[in-house]
Amino acid sequence: MRSELQAIQADFDQAIDQIQTLVDLDALEVRFLGRKQGVVTELLKQLKTLPKDEVGPVGALANEVKTHIADGLAARRRTLDNNEIAIDVTLPGLARPVGHLHLMTTAIRQISDVFARIGFERVRYPEVEWDYYAFEALNMPADHVARDEWETFFIDRQPIDKKLGQRVLTPHTSSGQIRKMEEGILPIKMINISKCYRRQIDVSHVPMFHQFEGLCIDRGVNITHLKGTIDYFVQNFFGPERTTRLRPYHFQFTEPSFEIDINCGICLGKGCRMCKEGWLELGGAGMVHPNVLKAGGIDASVYSGFAFGWGVERTYLMKSGVNIDDLRALYKNDLGFLQQF
Ligand code: FA5
């Protein structure tokens, strides 16, 4: 036991020289003198197993070692205390890395804010959606060719419900139109902003993107209300000098249907090198088809409405002037890219 005590002391002398912080010093104290499993404490417990005449001298040696260790710890603590107090508290602190909102979160907030000012209520509906809400109730029967344009992700191979069909990842926010109508509260003024999914990936398409969909249904709603709402949005979102034009188009769930163009921010519609013709495409819109109103339980002879649905990514990139030539960059989680904004 004598030699063990000497080894412990040698061990301690070596360890104490390496200690540079108070935290490490505390750990060393626990290791040697800790009341539960400190090496000295453990050894002292064995004293009683020694022959009687050995207990006295070995006990004395053990106490010496213990005192030596305690003194060593105390001396080191004094040096470290002094060093730590010597820290200059007037030096500037270390800056913590601070994150910021993703570009698309900012875009969604700005879009909701503009529409909130003219009474559009922000809503969200399921992203795992029934075929019925995504297509069928939007006037696109099962084999309709128009469905092909949506390049859908299917959850079920076959329909699993007679009315609702199979589940899909919603390919557009228009699925929220019928869900909103089914709530049975009129008039409707909603802005549905949500993730959408399509089997597409290239420089201008990502498989997960966002759309914002406006729907307004009341008595006497006509195309001038659509135009007024859209102009209010573009003037507040892009700038007071911006305006829109409606270009005839086709969607199965609106009649008539339009593509909405916005005048170019550089030439304001005259035509320039950037835009060629003076106008840039924003997205689709139209007057809600009577069949859609009917599917939503609304009397089309009394009520009418307009709807529009645009991509958040493309709309925001047009505003910010951020020159991103590949939409996929938004979702690569590349901090070097995201931190620029
Ligand atoms: C629609 O999805 C219609 N539901 C829009 C609509 C709503 C029309 C209400 C009439 C009334 P479209 O498939 O064109 O339409 O998509 C609308 C916008 O979503 C596009 O202009 C584009 O900005 C965006 N978008 C579509 N697919 C992708 C994609 N894969 N990646 C990024 N943005 C996309």
Side-chain angles (χ1 to χ4, degrees):
M1 198 177 266
R2 278 172 212 277
S3 59
E4 279 177 73
L5 281 165
Q6 278 151 4
I8 288 175
Q9 182 163 325
D11 238 13
F12 172 80
D13 288 343
Q14 211 185 3
I16 191 85
D17 285 342
Q18 318 289 325
I19 298 296
Q20 298 300 337
T21 68
L22 288 169
V23 175
D24 289 347
L25 188 68
D26 287 342
L28 192 71
E29 180 161 8
V30 172
R31 188 175 130 207
F32 282 89
L33 301 183
R35 271 202 274 153
K36 279 207 173 131
Q37 281 175 335
V39 283
V40 178
T41 324
E42 288 297 305
L43 205 68
L44 285 176
K45 282 184 197 159
Q46 293 169 27
L47 267 183
K48 50 183 181 285
T49 64
L50 292 176
K52 264 207 174 137
D53 54 338
E54 284 277 293
V55 173
V58 176
L61 179 63
N63 275 332
E64 263 174 45
V65 171
K66 205 172 158 184
T67 314
H68 173 84
I69 291 176
D71 290 349
L73 288 166
R76 191 81 191 129
R77 189 174 297 280
R78 276 194 298 277
T79 330
L80 289 177
D81 271 348
N82 287 339
N83 286 350
E84 295 203 0
I85 286 166
I87 289 171
D88 182 351
V89 292
T90 63
L91 286 173
L94 293 176
R96 282 177 162 276
V98 179
H100 63 79
L101 295 177
H102 189 275
L103 226 51
M104 287 307 112
T105 310
T106 308
I108 289 169
R109 291 188 180 183
Q110 289 180 2
I111 293 167
S112 326
D113 283 353
V114 174
F115 284 107
R117 279 184 245 146
I118 48 172
F120 280 76
E121 169 204 7
R122 167 83 199 273
V123 296
R124 280 185 76 174
Y125 291 105
E127 289 168 22
V128 179
E129 184 54 285
W130 292 105
D131 174 285
Y132 175 78
Y133 291 106
F135 296 118
E136 188 83 16
L138 292 174
N139 203 28
M140 287 188 261
D143 312 323
H144 201 285
V145 286
R147 286 189 180 210
D148 297 347
E149 289 160 24
W150 272 259
E151 297 192 48
T152 313
F153 287 107
F154 289 91
I155 303 281
D156 305 308
R157 283 179 186 279
Q158 301 294 333
I160 56 167
D161 183 279
K162 205 155 176 269
K163 175 184 165 195
L164 302 171
Q166 63 224 93
R167 286 167 302 177
V168 299
L169 293 184
T170 198
H172 56 174
T173 40
S174 297
S175 46
Q177 289 192 20
I178 300 290
R179 285 192 175 267
K180 182 69 187 169
M181 292 180 210
E182 281 183 349
E183 289 169 15
I185 302 165
L186 286 163
I188 290 170
K189 268 175 109 178
M190 75 159 199
I191 187 86
N192 177 20
I193 311 185
S194 182
K195 292 194 182 77
C196 303
Y197 305 84
R198 295 186 195 182
R199 295 180 55 215
Q200 301 170 332
I201 187 154
D202 58 41
V203 288
S204 54
H205 295 86
V206 277
M208 188 283 300
F209 58 102
H210 297 78
Q211 283 187 348
F212 60 108
E213 176 113 0
L215 176 69
C216 173
I217 299 176
D218 204 347
R219 291 166 197 262
V221 173
N222 60 46
I223 296 176
T224 64
H225 298 118
L226 168 65
K227 172 84 166 105
T229 304
I230 287 173
D231 279 348
Y232 179 85
F233 171 70
V234 300
Q235 278 154 19
N236 283 273
F237 191 73
F238 292 101
E241 68 289 359
R242 308 301 285 277
T243 186
T244 59
R245 73 174 183 190
L246 311 189
R247 192 162 35 84
Y249 198 70
H250 174 78
F251 289 104
Q252 198 64 21
F253 36 91
T254 44
E255 181 58 37
S257 302
F258 309 102
E259 279 288 358
I260 309 291
D261 295 334
I262 180 170
N263 60 343
C264 163
I266 297 169
C267 66
L268 296 180
K270 292 194 196 81
C272 68
R273 271 200 317 167
M274 281 299 286
C275 65
K276 312 265 186 308
E277 290 182 356
W279 296 87
L280 303 159
E281 191 180 307
L282 260 184
M287 299 306 293
V288 181
H289 195 290
N291 287 353
V292 175
L293 290 172
K294 202 167 143 207
I298 293 175
D299 185 347
S301 67
V302 181
Y303 288 94
S304 55
F306 65 77
F308 56 88
W310 305 344
V312 174
E313 286 79 2
R314 292 197 201 158
T315 306
Y316 189 72
L317 294 187
M318 281 172 74
K319 167 194 165 98
S320 58
V322 177
N323 218 349
I324 298 178
D325 56 6
D326 187 342
L327 217 58
R328 293 171 292 193
L330 286 173
Y331 297 115
K332 275 191 181 152
N333 274 348
D334 174 357
L335 285 183
F337 169 78
L338 293 171
Q339 277 165 349
Q340 298 174 72
F341 308 107

